[in-house]
Amino acid sequence: MDFSRKTTLITGASTGIGAAFARELAARGSDLVVVARREDRLRTLQQELTKAHDITVHVLPLDLARPGAGAEVQRRVEELGAAVDVLINNAGFATFGAVAESDPTRMAEEVHLNCLTLTDLTARLLPGMVERGRGAVINVASTAAFQPVPRMAVYGATKAYVLSFTEALSNELRGSGVQALALCPGATDTPFFEVVGEQAVVGNRRRPEQVVATTLAALQKGRPTVVDGFVNRLGTLTPRLLPRRAMVAFAERITRPNPAHRSPAR
């Protein structure tokens, strides 16, 4: 896909995978609309990318976990006069712990951001892409989407939703000129674990730049789903081979708290 003089909207763009997407697509000539809560980080990214590349970067500081955030993004994009060609729904977070011991409000925010805002933004920005006959939606799921994950029950369920939604969307878009891709990274070296805690780390961490490279290669091939990293791809095959109860028990052992790790304060 040629990104030159296209406009890409990236949520969760201030750090990690979102920032890596911004840097790579800016280098490929895409104008950007970057969305996250931290305006200071977005402004720093804006200055970096506009200085390095002949592009436009629009900054939208918003909390996407709030009700109505999708409509607000659409309104502000329309005010900018921008036509979004590529949507990267990267914003999301996880909670760690048993559901009975977790904060209901925080879990609701997790579902809202990971599922509702992602779906809302897709539904709002996709019609323009279809009308123009070109574009792409990249939804960031996770390797956690492939099996239930005790102690990360809500996160795994939200990412299973993202995977299912995006694969169905990809089928709906056949022949439209618009692609939909579900990206499923494993552990990645991002601030994600500053929120959920080190106890959620499974396997070696990949670099955000590797995740972005995997994504763009899969987009070029027209794939509906991609898992980043060879070891992660092997891991997603396991749920197909084990009985479901055995897979859940295996996942529980992996996420069993390590006394050496302290959970972050809520």
Side-chain angles (χ1 to χ4, degrees), residues 60 62 69-81 124:
L60 297 186
L62 287 171
E72 177 69 6
V73 170
Q74 182 184 33
R75 183 185 68 79
R76 294 177 67 172
V77 166
E78 290 173 350
E79 288 177 352
L80 293 170
R124 290 176 182 278

Side-chain angles (χ1 to χ4, degrees), residues 59-266:
V59 169
L60 297 186
L62 287 171
D63 181 0
L64 294 174
R66 291 188 300 101
E72 177 69 6
V73 170
Q74 182 184 33
R75 183 185 68 79
R76 294 177 67 172
V77 166
E78 290 173 350
E79 288 177 352
L80 293 170
V84 175
D85 301 292
V86 180
L87 169 63
I88 302 178
N89 279 308
N90 168 70
F93 72 91
T95 52
F96 187 92
V99 171
E101 301 169 1
S102 298
D103 178 359
T105 300
R106 187 65 169 161
M107 288 190 293
E109 291 172 346
E110 186 177 1
V111 174
H112 194 105
L113 178 58
N114 295 5
C115 297
L116 298 182
T117 298
L118 176 145
T119 304
D120 191 24
L121 281 175
T122 300
R124 290 176 182 278
L125 299 179
L126 185 61
M129 299 182 201
V130 173
E131 183 178 345
R132 293 186 294 273
R134 67 176 188 275
V137 177
I138 299 171
N139 289 331
V140 179
S142 167
T143 52
F146 292 88
Q147 69 286 307
V149 186
R151 299 186 187 89
M152 296 181 72
V154 174
Y155 180 74
T158 64
K159 293 305 182 179
Y161 171 89
V162 173
L163 177 60
S164 177
F165 171 73
T166 310
E167 288 182 329
L169 182 63
S170 176
N171 182 274
E172 291 179 2
L173 292 172
R174 283 183 180 177
S176 69
V178 182
Q179 295 174 252
L181 172 65
L183 164 61
C184 301
T188 309
D189 189 14
T190 73
F192 175 90
F193 296 102
E194 294 176 9
V195 176
V196 71
E198 293 293 327
Q199 69 273 23
V201 177
V202 178
N204 295 326
R205 299 189 196 187
R206 299 267 290 172
R207 291 183 292 107
E209 294 78 12
Q210 291 176 303
V211 176
V212 170
T214 295
T215 306
L216 298 181
L219 193 68
Q220 190 67 33
K221 296 176 182 177
R223 293 180 177 174
T225 308
V226 65
V227 178
D228 174 64
F230 178 72
V231 174
N232 290 329
R233 287 195 293 274
L234 287 180
T236 60
L237 297 177
T238 305
R240 304 178 189 180
L241 304 175
L242 292 178
R244 198 157 181 85
R245 287 184 63 184
M247 189 62 236
V248 176
F250 178 70
E252 189 278 333
R253 292 190 63 180
I254 292 175
T255 60
R256 192 171 295 169
N258 185 335
H261 294 150
R262 295 179 61 191
S263 298
R266 293 294 177 202

